[in-house]
Amino acid sequence: MDKNIGSSFYKLKKEDKEFEVLSNHKVHFTHHVTHYYSGRNAIYALLEEITSTKSIRTIWLPNYYCHNVKNSITKNFEIIKFYEINPFEPDSGFNFENFTSVNDIIILNNYWGLYDYNYSDNPKTRAIVIEDHSHGWLSKQCIHSKADYCIASIRKAYPIPLGAITWRPKLKKIAFYENGQDVAMEKAYEYLKASLSSKRNFIKTNVTDSAKKHLAYLAKGENCITESNSYVLPKSKVIDDINKYMFFDPNEIKQINLDFLYNKLQETKAFKVIRRNGFTSFGLLLLFNNLEDFTDFKTYLIKQNIFPANLWPSNNLDLEWKYFYNIHVDFRYTIDDMAFLAETINNWIYKKQN
């Protein structure tokens, strides 16, 4: 089976070994959640919910964030400002209370499951906090958040076409939706569902034509998500997908695979491994300071069917170390797969040094 390490998800069936590995790790998540089609829809809903009842001066977004989410928020709200944060230094002690007020909203990103934030427990003395746990789903700071609102794009963690949730850690959540139908999202669901099925056919049977179909459906689905600009109640099939998976914990197997990689990877000056003791990262996180090395690394790995994801390249960071890859190491992969990944990366390091 050609697993294509690091690439996008494929449809799972209950009899699959990958599903068994994931479903054997359950988590106790007790918050009351509200379901949405996507993370963009979820954030839009939260901001509409808050601004409809309170007078807000500024909505603060991190300078390093998904460009599609940025575009969605700035399209719908005019009171946007950006704050500077280094997403690769989770121990930096970032403090937003010195530049925000009680009349503000701030979105804090749990970057790669490694970031937690220290701020006042009293919401009357600080800005309204929305934490985005899309890349840190079921991390301890996600489950035990003290934010006013939380959001997570569930489809980042599981093989489902669409799905995101919001919750209020301290209160029972009341669903907040607008009336209407989101045709773009309904189309996105069908395209992405077809993409997952086509990818499964490729992974399980190695039929090249299925891989091409998967990529075509994936592109069409993502384009439809970009077209969406609503926060309507999703169709029941989307909610069912979310509820089927969201209590399975992907982090335990990730940590096993990451610990193996951390021990096997050779030292190099070409990149840094971003990690934090006591926290499970979204994947294998590699940070480069040289664009030529960054590009060569990806080219080398792709030839071995390993696909590093260049997360949010449209962000312009004024940092020396800013070229960033994530490689998925989730429940789809075994220790043998991790051994192959480590060997391939070490071969690149050796080639680079010689």
Side-chain angles (χ1 to χ4, degrees):
M1 183 170 69
D2 186 356
K3 293 190 178 182
N4 284 257
I5 296 174
S7 59
S8 58
F9 285 119
Y10 48 88
K11 180 181 178 181
L12 290 184
K13 297 182 179 180
K14 286 188 176 181
E15 60 267 27
D16 291 333
K17 181 64 176 179
E18 307 95 296
F19 183 83
E20 179 186 352
V21 170
L22 174 61
S23 61
N24 281 341
H25 300 281
K26 295 182 176 64
V27 70
H28 191 55
F29 187 83
T30 59
H31 300 295
H32 299 276
V33 304
T34 301
H35 305 86
Y36 292 95
Y37 278 113
S38 75
R40 276 163 262 179
N41 299 149
I43 291 178
Y44 186 14
L46 287 182
L47 294 176
E48 279 288 324
E49 180 180 2
I50 298 167
T51 56
S52 67
T53 59
K54 298 179 181 179
S55 178
I56 299 299
R57 184 193 68 174
T58 303
I59 299 173
W60 292 93
L61 303 181
N63 61 318
Y64 190 84
Y65 207 24
C66 172
H67 65 280
N68 287 319
V69 176
K70 282 183 179 179
N71 292 340
S72 174
I73 296 174
T74 54
K75 177 169 64 176
N76 290 294
F77 301 92
E78 296 181 350
I79 51 174
I80 306 298
K81 289 185 179 179
F82 293 90
Y83 62 87
E84 298 292 322
I85 187 170
N86 187 331
F88 313 120
E89 293 185 353
D91 290 315
S92 62
F94 176 82
N95 180 12
F96 65 83
E97 294 184 78
N98 56 10
F99 64 85
T100 59
S101 79
V102 294
N103 298 315
D104 295 346
I105 300 171
I106 186 165
I107 296 178
L108 302 176
N109 197 322
N110 177 4
Y111 292 110
W112 340 124
L114 305 182
Y115 253 84
D116 55 355
Y117 297 87
N118 185 22
Y119 52 85
S120 171
D121 284 330
N122 185 356
K124 295 181 180 180
T125 65
R126 56 159 171 77
I128 297 168
V129 175
I130 299 174
E131 289 184 350
D132 185 341
H133 294 285
S134 296
H135 291 89
W137 172 239
L138 295 182
S139 61
K140 57 187 176 183
Q141 59 272 40
C142 165
I143 295 174
H144 303 296
S145 172
K146 62 181 179 181
D148 302 294
Y149 302 84
C150 291
I151 170 262
S153 177
I154 298 297
R155 74 187 189 105
K156 302 288 192 305
Y158 305 115
I160 59 177
L162 292 172
I165 58 172
T166 64
W167 70 96
R168 300 185 69 177
K170 299 175 184 177
L171 297 169
K172 185 174 181 179
K173 185 76 175 71
I174 300 174
F176 189 84
Y177 299 111
E178 64 177 338
N179 295 324
Q181 182 181 8
D182 193 328
V183 175
M185 275 303 187
E186 292 178 20
K187 289 181 180 178
Y189 181 89
E190 296 304 324
Y191 282 133
L192 295 174
K193 181 181 178 182
S195 176
L196 287 166
S197 294
S198 297
K199 179 69 176 289
R200 176 184 175 83
N201 290 338
F202 172 64
I203 291 296
K204 300 295 185 180
T205 65
N206 206 24
V207 177
T208 304
D209 184 55
S210 293
K212 294 177 181 178
K213 288 181 180 179
H214 149 67
L215 293 173
Y217 286 133
L218 181 62
K220 289 180 179 179
E222 294 296 336
N223 287 337
C224 287
I225 293 176
T226 302
E227 292 174 13
S228 171
N229 192 41
S230 78
Y231 48 97
V232 303
L233 175 69
K235 297 291 186 180
S236 59
K237 56 192 174 184
V238 176
I239 296 174
D240 290 344
D241 286 342
I242 294 172
N243 291 340
K244 176 182 178 180
Y245 278 98
M246 67 172 284
F247 299 105
F248 296 152
D249 185 3
N251 293 320
E252 291 186 41
I253 189 65
K254 278 186 185 180
Q255 192 60 57
I256 292 171
N257 288 339
L258 287 167
D259 286 341
F260 178 88
L261 290 168
Y262 295 154
N263 288 327
K264 293 294 183 180
L265 290 178
Q266 299 296 317
E267 292 289 329
T268 178
K269 294 181 180 179
F271 61 75
K272 298 178 181 179
V273 178
I274 305 301
R275 55 185 293 193
R276 186 181 183 190
N277 289 336
F279 295 76
T280 300
S281 63
F282 183 64
L284 179 63
L285 310 177
L286 306 179
L287 186 65
F288 292 71
N289 69 342
N290 182 285
L291 183 57
E292 183 178 342
D293 289 345
F294 181 72
T295 305
D296 183 69
F297 179 83
K298 184 172 186 177
T299 301
Y300 186 85
L301 264 61
I302 286 176
K303 290 179 180 178
Q304 301 296 327
N305 285 329
I306 299 169
F307 298 89
N310 183 5
L311 292 181
W312 306 336
S314 61
N315 290 267
N316 185 21
L317 292 176
D318 186 21
L319 299 171
E320 179 184 0
W321 293 81
K322 61 181 179 180
Y323 305 110
F324 179 58
Y325 285 132
N326 170 73
I327 302 177
H328 289 299
V329 295
D330 53 62
F331 50 87
R332 291 172 286 174
Y333 309 117
T334 66
I335 289 297
D336 286 343
D337 298 322
M338 295 300 98
F340 174 71
L341 175 58
E343 179 184 12
T344 305
I345 293 175
N346 286 339
N347 286 343
W348 181 85
I349 293 172
Y350 178 82
K351 180 176 74 77
K352 180 68 183 173
Q353 293 173 341
N354 295 275

mmCIF file of all heavy atoms in Angstrom, residues 168-189:
data_model
loop_
_atom_site.group_PDB
_atom_site.id
_atom_site.type_symbol
_atom_site.label_atom_id
_atom_site.label_comp_id
_atom_site.label_asym_id
_atom_site.label_seq_id
_atom_site.Cartn_x
_atom_site.Cartn_y
_atom_site.Cartn_z
ATOM 1 N N ARG A 168 -18.275 27.169 24.142
ATOM 2 C CA ARG A 168 -17.948 28.147 25.182
ATOM 3 C C ARG A 168 -17.530 27.364 26.413
ATOM 4 O O ARG A 168 -18.361 26.718 27.061
ATOM 5 C CB ARG A 168 -19.142 29.041 25.486
ATOM 6 C CG ARG A 168 -19.626 29.824 24.280
ATOM 7 C CD ARG A 168 -20.737 30.806 24.622
ATOM 8 N NE ARG A 168 -20.225 31.899 25.439
ATOM 9 C CZ ARG A 168 -20.982 32.943 25.828
ATOM 10 N NH1 ARG A 168 -22.250 32.991 25.492
ATOM 11 N NH2 ARG A 168 -20.458 33.910 26.556
ATOM 12 N N PRO A 169 -16.240 27.389 26.753
ATOM 13 C CA PRO A 169 -15.740 26.527 27.841
ATOM 14 C C PRO A 169 -16.450 26.712 29.174
ATOM 15 O O PRO A 169 -16.569 25.753 29.942
ATOM 16 C CB PRO A 169 -14.269 26.943 27.940
ATOM 17 C CG PRO A 169 -13.919 27.409 26.571
ATOM 18 C CD PRO A 169 -15.150 28.096 26.061
ATOM 19 N N LYS A 170 -16.938 27.917 29.451
ATOM 20 C CA LYS A 170 -17.516 28.180 30.768
ATOM 21 C C LYS A 170 -19.044 28.127 30.775
ATOM 22 O O LYS A 170 -19.663 28.205 31.835
ATOM 23 C CB LYS A 170 -17.054 29.548 31.268
ATOM 24 C CG LYS A 170 -15.545 29.668 31.428
ATOM 25 C CD LYS A 170 -15.143 31.077 31.812
ATOM 26 C CE LYS A 170 -13.625 31.217 31.881
ATOM 27 N NZ LYS A 170 -13.204 32.606 32.186
ATOM 28 N N LEU A 171 -19.646 28.023 29.593
ATOM 29 C CA LEU A 171 -21.097 28.106 29.511
ATOM 30 C C LEU A 171 -21.636 27.081 28.529
ATOM 31 O O LEU A 171 -20.927 26.617 27.637
ATOM 32 C CB LEU A 171 -21.525 29.508 29.050
ATOM 33 C CG LEU A 171 -21.164 30.688 29.960
ATOM 34 C CD1 LEU A 171 -21.409 31.986 29.229
ATOM 35 C CD2 LEU A 171 -21.970 30.636 31.247
ATOM 36 N N LYS A 172 -22.925 26.757 28.680
ATOM 37 C CA LYS A 172 -23.591 25.939 27.682
ATOM 38 C C LYS A 172 -23.800 26.770 26.434
ATOM 39 O O LYS A 172 -24.293 27.885 26.496
ATOM 40 C CB LYS A 172 -24.928 25.431 28.213
ATOM 41 C CG LYS A 172 -25.630 24.463 27.256
ATOM 42 C CD LYS A 172 -26.880 23.876 27.881
ATOM 43 C CE LYS A 172 -27.539 22.906 26.917
ATOM 44 N NZ LYS A 172 -28.760 22.291 27.504
ATOM 45 N N LYS A 173 -23.406 26.227 25.297
ATOM 46 C CA LYS A 173 -23.460 26.980 24.052
ATOM 47 C C LYS A 173 -24.869 26.989 23.488
ATOM 48 O O LYS A 173 -25.533 25.967 23.431
ATOM 49 C CB LYS A 173 -22.502 26.373 23.024
ATOM 50 C CG LYS A 173 -22.398 27.173 21.744
ATOM 51 C CD LYS A 173 -21.557 28.405 21.951
ATOM 52 C CE LYS A 173 -21.334 29.152 20.652
ATOM 53 N NZ LYS A 173 -22.515 29.819 20.130
ATOM 54 N N ILE A 174 -25.327 28.161 23.071
ATOM 55 C CA ILE A 174 -26.576 28.295 22.341
ATOM 56 C C ILE A 174 -26.237 28.425 20.871
ATOM 57 O O ILE A 174 -25.432 29.266 20.475
ATOM 58 C CB ILE A 174 -27.378 29.523 22.822
ATOM 59 C CG1 ILE A 174 -27.713 29.377 24.312
ATOM 60 C CG2 ILE A 174 -28.644 29.698 22.003
ATOM 61 C CD1 ILE A 174 -28.386 30.597 24.908
ATOM 62 N N ALA A 175 -26.838 27.596 20.033
ATOM 63 C CA ALA A 175 -26.525 27.603 18.608
ATOM 64 C C ALA A 175 -26.832 28.959 17.988
ATOM 65 O O ALA A 175 -27.889 29.547 18.238
ATOM 66 C CB ALA A 175 -27.317 26.509 17.910
ATOM 67 N N PHE A 176 -25.911 29.457 17.175
ATOM 68 C CA PHE A 176 -26.078 30.754 16.514
ATOM 69 C C PHE A 176 -25.912 30.541 15.011
ATOM 70 O O PHE A 176 -24.815 30.246 14.537
ATOM 71 C CB PHE A 176 -25.030 31.749 17.037
ATOM 72 C CG PHE A 176 -25.263 33.165 16.567
ATOM 73 C CD1 PHE A 176 -26.147 33.992 17.229
ATOM 74 C CD2 PHE A 176 -24.594 33.657 15.457
ATOM 75 C CE1 PHE A 176 -26.362 35.297 16.800
ATOM 76 C CE2 PHE A 176 -24.797 34.951 15.022
ATOM 77 C CZ PHE A 176 -25.690 35.771 15.694
ATOM 78 N N TYR A 177 -27.008 30.663 14.291
ATOM 79 C CA TYR A 177 -27.000 30.461 12.845
ATOM 80 C C TYR A 177 -27.800 31.567 12.162
ATOM 81 O O TYR A 177 -28.688 32.182 12.772
ATOM 82 C CB TYR A 177 -27.642 29.117 12.469
ATOM 83 C CG TYR A 177 -26.955 27.901 13.025
ATOM 84 C CD1 TYR A 177 -27.561 27.119 14.005
ATOM 85 C CD2 TYR A 177 -25.707 27.504 12.545
ATOM 86 C CE1 TYR A 177 -26.938 25.985 14.500
ATOM 87 C CE2 TYR A 177 -25.075 26.377 13.043
ATOM 88 C CZ TYR A 177 -25.697 25.620 14.018
ATOM 89 O OH TYR A 177 -25.073 24.499 14.506
ATOM 90 N N GLU A 178 -27.509 31.774 10.901
ATOM 91 C CA GLU A 178 -28.370 32.613 10.080
ATOM 92 C C GLU A 178 -29.275 31.701 9.247
ATOM 93 O O GLU A 178 -28.927 30.558 8.966
ATOM 94 C CB GLU A 178 -27.559 33.532 9.167
ATOM 95 C CG GLU A 178 -26.709 32.834 8.128
ATOM 96 C CD GLU A 178 -25.994 33.811 7.214
ATOM 97 O OE1 GLU A 178 -26.433 34.962 7.098
ATOM 98 O OE2 GLU A 178 -24.974 33.406 6.617
ATOM 99 N N ASN A 179 -30.428 32.224 8.865
ATOM 100 C CA ASN A 179 -31.348 31.452 8.052
ATOM 101 C C ASN A 179 -30.844 31.378 6.611
ATOM 102 O O ASN A 179 -30.140 32.262 6.146
ATOM 103 C CB ASN A 179 -32.745 32.085 8.080
ATOM 104 C CG ASN A 179 -33.367 32.034 9.463
ATOM 105 O OD1 ASN A 179 -33.176 31.070 10.197
ATOM 106 N ND2 ASN A 179 -34.110 33.075 9.823
ATOM 107 N N GLY A 180 -31.224 30.327 5.937
ATOM 108 C CA GLY A 180 -30.854 30.232 4.534
ATOM 109 C C GLY A 180 -30.143 28.932 4.208
ATOM 110 O O GLY A 180 -30.023 28.025 5.038
ATOM 111 N N GLN A 181 -29.650 28.881 2.985
ATOM 112 C CA GLN A 181 -28.980 27.704 2.458
ATOM 113 C C GLN A 181 -27.631 28.117 1.903
ATOM 114 O O GLN A 181 -27.514 29.179 1.280
ATOM 115 C CB GLN A 181 -29.835 27.084 1.344
ATOM 116 C CG GLN A 181 -29.274 25.825 0.730
ATOM 117 C CD GLN A 181 -30.172 25.278 -0.377
ATOM 118 O OE1 GLN A 181 -31.137 25.928 -0.781
ATOM 119 N NE2 GLN A 181 -29.852 24.089 -0.870
ATOM 120 N N ASP A 182 -26.607 27.315 2.132
ATOM 121 C CA ASP A 182 -25.284 27.602 1.604
ATOM 122 C C ASP A 182 -25.000 26.621 0.468
ATOM 123 O O ASP A 182 -24.483 25.520 0.681
ATOM 124 C CB ASP A 182 -24.229 27.482 2.703
ATOM 125 C CG ASP A 182 -22.888 28.072 2.307
ATOM 126 O OD1 ASP A 182 -22.566 28.018 1.106
ATOM 127 O OD2 ASP A 182 -22.155 28.567 3.184
ATOM 128 N N VAL A 183 -25.342 27.035 -0.750
ATOM 129 C CA VAL A 183 -25.183 26.170 -1.914
ATOM 130 C C VAL A 183 -23.709 25.846 -2.151
ATOM 131 O O VAL A 183 -23.356 24.717 -2.520
ATOM 132 C CB VAL A 183 -25.805 26.823 -3.169
ATOM 133 C CG1 VAL A 183 -25.540 25.973 -4.410
ATOM 134 C CG2 VAL A 183 -27.297 27.034 -2.972
ATOM 135 N N ALA A 184 -22.831 26.841 -1.938
ATOM 136 C CA ALA A 184 -21.396 26.618 -2.150
ATOM 137 C C ALA A 184 -20.875 25.507 -1.243
ATOM 138 O O ALA A 184 -20.102 24.640 -1.672
ATOM 139 C CB ALA A 184 -20.623 27.909 -1.917
ATOM 140 N N MET A 185 -21.312 25.520 0.023
ATOM 141 C CA MET A 185 -20.854 24.491 0.953
ATOM 142 C C MET A 185 -21.454 23.122 0.645
ATOM 143 O O MET A 185 -20.803 22.087 0.835
ATOM 144 C CB MET A 185 -21.171 24.895 2.397
ATOM 145 C CG MET A 185 -20.114 25.788 3.013
ATOM 146 S SD MET A 185 -18.487 24.998 2.978
ATOM 147 C CE MET A 185 -17.534 26.162 3.921
ATOM 148 N N GLU A 186 -22.669 23.107 0.169
ATOM 149 C CA GLU A 186 -23.275 21.824 -0.214
ATOM 150 C C GLU A 186 -22.524 21.210 -1.395
ATOM 151 O O GLU A 186 -22.301 19.994 -1.445
ATOM 152 C CB GLU A 186 -24.751 22.021 -0.543
ATOM 153 C CG GLU A 186 -25.589 22.376 0.687
ATOM 154 C CD GLU A 186 -27.042 22.629 0.359
ATOM 155 O OE1 GLU A 186 -27.500 22.175 -0.710
ATOM 156 O OE2 GLU A 186 -27.727 23.272 1.170
ATOM 157 N N LYS A 187 -22.095 22.061 -2.332
ATOM 158 C CA LYS A 187 -21.271 21.579 -3.443
ATOM 159 C C LYS A 187 -19.898 21.134 -2.942
ATOM 160 O O LYS A 187 -19.366 20.107 -3.370
ATOM 161 C CB LYS A 187 -21.110 22.672 -4.499
ATOM 162 C CG LYS A 187 -22.359 22.987 -5.297
ATOM 163 C CD LYS A 187 -22.070 24.075 -6.324
ATOM 164 C CE LYS A 187 -23.300 24.407 -7.149
ATOM 165 N NZ LYS A 187 -23.032 25.492 -8.126
ATOM 166 N N ALA A 188 -19.328 21.919 -2.023
ATOM 167 C CA ALA A 188 -18.018 21.578 -1.463
ATOM 168 C C ALA A 188 -18.056 20.204 -0.815
ATOM 169 O O ALA A 188 -17.126 19.398 -0.974
ATOM 170 C CB ALA A 188 -17.589 22.634 -0.448
ATOM 171 N N TYR A 189 -19.127 19.934 -0.088
ATOM 172 C CA TYR A 189 -19.246 18.638 0.587
ATOM 173 C C TYR A 189 -19.202 17.497 -0.416
ATOM 174 O O TYR A 189 -18.483 16.500 -0.209
ATOM 175 C CB TYR A 189 -20.544 18.574 1.393
ATOM 176 C CG TYR A 189 -20.715 17.270 2.137
ATOM 177 C CD1 TYR A 189 -20.207 17.112 3.418
ATOM 178 C CD2 TYR A 189 -21.381 16.189 1.554
ATOM 179 C CE1 TYR A 189 -20.344 15.917 4.109
ATOM 180 C CE2 TYR A 189 -21.513 14.982 2.223
ATOM 181 C CZ TYR A 189 -21.001 14.856 3.499
ATOM 182 O OH TYR A 189 -21.126 13.665 4.174
#
